[in-house]
Amino acid sequence: MKTNSLRPPAEMLHEAELAALTANDRDSRPPGWKLSPKAVRTFLLGSNGDALPHEWGGKKTKTVVMQKFYGDDALVERCIVTLLGNRGLLLVGEPGTAKSMISELLAAAVCGTSLLTIQGTAGTTDDHIRYSWNYALLLAEGPSLRALVPSPLYSAMRAGALVRFEEITRCQPEIQDTLVSLLSDKAMQVPELSGADGVLFAGKGFNVIATANLRDRGVHEMSSALKRRFNFETVAPLADHAMELRLVQEQTAALLQDSAVRVECPTDVLALLVTTFNDLRHGRTAEGTVVDRPSTVLSTAEAVAVSHSAALDAAYFGNARLGAGHVARQLLGTVLKDNPDDLKKLKHYFDVVVKARGKGNRTWQEFYEARKWLRA
Ligand SMILES: Nc1ncnc2c1ncn2[C@@H]1O[C@H](COP(=O)(O)OP(=O)(O)O)[C@@H](O)[C@H]1O
Ligand SMILES: [Mg+2]
């Protein structure tokens, strides 16, 4: 389905892939699940180029399931197994390691919707987690199911679906603890309602996928009662240079296609970008030179953002060919946020590492020449 929205949810974006997986799913489905665990795995990790035959819009067609998460197949399998069990899934890690992406894809594949989502903030209240009331109806008719405004969690329990709890550790610990009894009893009391309406039992297939960033208030502030109700999975940044390059290439191409822009993105320029991110992220280059690490997060997600903006720069202000100069121009906005020292570190990286690599390599030389853009 073509949509006009800036960012359709995963189940809409990958509608054809999900239809193909459903049509070819020979394995048994757990109660409440839309796909078998194996098909869910394929949705995240791809069909290895195999085109799956299925019907689409009344016609026969074939769809290849694209790889969406890179770097740790076993992690995806463990996540799926956790969702089959009694405990919730908590994805922890640095920002930009694709925790939210995994949670969205899993929800889309397992229950067909990724939209039952609670966004954790310091202002999240009990009402956001349980339910609230339509006060006009409440005053007119008294408490009834009709007047109850369900939270995403309430809706997920009722439907036997997955609820996503993003950035759970940003909520106050007392608010997080609302989940403790919900997760152990798999039931929600509604004391205002009497009889059968006064308690909601979760349908088969209900579970919670939460995410937490290590840079925010940490998971250590989570109560141990709540920790026990989750299986923790740590999502690590991509360690493999070739894999990160492939990811940046594919996602940049997809983003450019989305914005209907044609730009040539030479592999050596994207490789330079990935190398720069790796050097600055680890504070050490492949040659063994030690460099100062900027204080900002230089995740793969940031690398994709920089290559996308650099390509747009090349498309609209250049000759539709991405160059190292465009990368340098966009790098600043990512590395330099609020710490003036980071500019010095970036300049130092250019003066020491980039300059040396530029001797005998045109791309790195062009990158070095663009250091004039590195001004605050
Ligand atoms: N291992 C990975 N596989 C696929 N995409 C990744 C990976 N690591 C980072 N990304 C990128 O990160 C983006 C999303 O990050 P996000 O899910 O918002 O991160 P988080 O929630 O961990 O902060 C993805 O769209 C993708 O571009
Ligand atoms: Mg996130």
Side-chain angles (χ1 to χ4, degrees):
M1 195 207 310
K2 281 260 174 251
T3 71
N4 217 2
S5 51
L6 192 53
R7 190 187 168 289
E11 58 274 20
M12 214 181 263
L13 192 62
H14 307 293
E15 210 181 3
E17 289 189 4
L18 289 169
L21 285 166
T22 310
N24 292 276
D25 201 2
R26 307 270 172 270
D27 292 297
S28 65
R29 297 171 194 181
W33 283 38
K34 291 238 184 306
L35 289 174
S36 69
K38 271 192 191 150
V40 174
R41 179 189 191 277
T42 308
F43 183 59
L44 273 85
L45 298 176
S47 60
N48 274 327
D50 292 350
L52 309 179
H54 66 109
E55 291 225 351
W56 188 243
K59 293 201 194 103
K60 284 196 180 352
T61 181
K62 287 184 170 185
T63 302
V64 177
V65 181
M66 299 298 294
Q67 175 155 18
K68 300 172 194 69
F69 178 68
Y70 290 80
D72 195 347
D73 296 3
L75 173 102
V76 172
E77 285 163 10
R78 287 196 306 272
C79 290
I80 296 173
V81 171
T82 295
L83 291 178
L84 286 166
N86 247 332
R87 287 203 261 176
L89 170 65
L90 180 60
L91 299 164
V92 288
E94 293 274 310
T97 45
K99 300 179 296 298
S100 301
M101 187 185 86
I102 300 176
S103 126
E104 181 179 353
L105 293 172
L106 285 173
V110 169
C111 61
T113 175
S114 59
L115 295 178
L116 296 172
T117 304
I118 302 171
Q119 192 69 50
T121 67
T124 303
T125 64
D126 208 47
D127 290 3
H128 296 139
I129 299 182
R130 291 157 59 84
Y131 53 85
S132 53
W133 298 99
N134 173 331
Y135 286 101
L137 273 177
L138 185 67
L139 288 176
E141 301 176 356
S144 68
L145 268 190
R146 217 161 77 87
L148 183 142
V149 179
S151 70
L153 193 129
Y154 186 104
S155 302
M157 286 178 104
R158 192 171 50 189
L162 293 178
V163 62
R164 301 169 53 207
F165 203 137
E166 286 284 293
E167 312 283 1
I168 190 169
T169 46
R170 288 205 193 162
C171 305
Q172 310 289 340
E174 311 81 70
I175 299 295
Q176 296 174 24
D177 277 352
T178 309
L179 280 177
V180 172
S181 65
L182 296 178
L183 284 180
S184 39
D185 302 347
K186 308 280 191 258
M188 192 189 297
Q189 305 287 339
V190 186
E192 296 90 338
L193 299 181
S194 54
D197 291 345
V199 51
L200 170 72
F201 294 102
K204 286 202 166 112
F206 166 74
N207 210 335
V208 181
I209 311 178
T211 63
N213 269 327
L214 291 175
R215 295 245 176 161
D216 296 332
R217 192 167 53 179
V219 257
H220 57 271
E221 280 186 41
M222 201 178 214
S223 74
S224 47
L226 187 56
K227 280 184 194 157
R228 277 200 303 278
R229 276 145 185 100
F230 279 106
N231 268 351
F232 282 53
E233 284 295 344
T234 305
V235 191
L238 266 176
D240 184 278
H241 184 277
M243 212 175 254
E244 190 172 8
L245 175 57
R246 206 175 109 206
L247 188 150
V248 170
Q249 252 168 339
E250 288 185 3
Q251 297 203 345
T252 308
L255 288 169
L256 290 174
Q257 196 180 7
D258 245 18
S259 25
V261 178
R262 292 181 75 89
V263 195
E264 190 196 336
C265 296
T267 305
D268 60 341
V269 177
L270 292 181
L272 169 145
L273 183 150
V274 170
T275 305
T276 302
F277 266 74
N278 265 295
D279 293 346
L280 293 172
R281 188 186 294 155
H282 297 119
R284 171 182 284 276
T285 70
E287 299 92 331
T289 313
V290 175
V291 291
D292 272 343
R293 284 176 13 181
S295 58
T296 34
V297 181
L298 293 166
S299 64
T300 308
E302 300 280 357
V304 173
V306 169
S307 77
H308 182 216
S309 332
L312 291 177
D313 189 2
Y316 289 111
F317 297 106
N319 58 0
R321 187 170 196 278
L322 176 71
H326 300 116
V327 174
R329 267 157 54 123
Q330 298 302 324
L331 198 58
L332 201 58
T334 297
V335 175
L336 195 66
K337 295 268 155 78
D338 54 356
N339 187 345
D341 275 351
D342 288 344
L343 182 61
K344 283 189 211 137
K345 292 177 184 170
L346 195 59
K347 278 188 173 155
H348 180 256
Y349 177 71
F350 269 74
D351 287 337
V352 177
V353 180
V354 179
K355 189 176 181 184
R357 288 190 188 145
K359 296 196 177 105
N361 182 309
R362 289 264 323 261
T363 312
W364 282 93
Q365 195 187 341
E366 189 192 333
F367 197 41
Y368 181 63
E369 280 158 13
R371 74 189 182 288
K372 60 173 185 281
W373 298 109
L374 303 182
R375 268 174 287 148

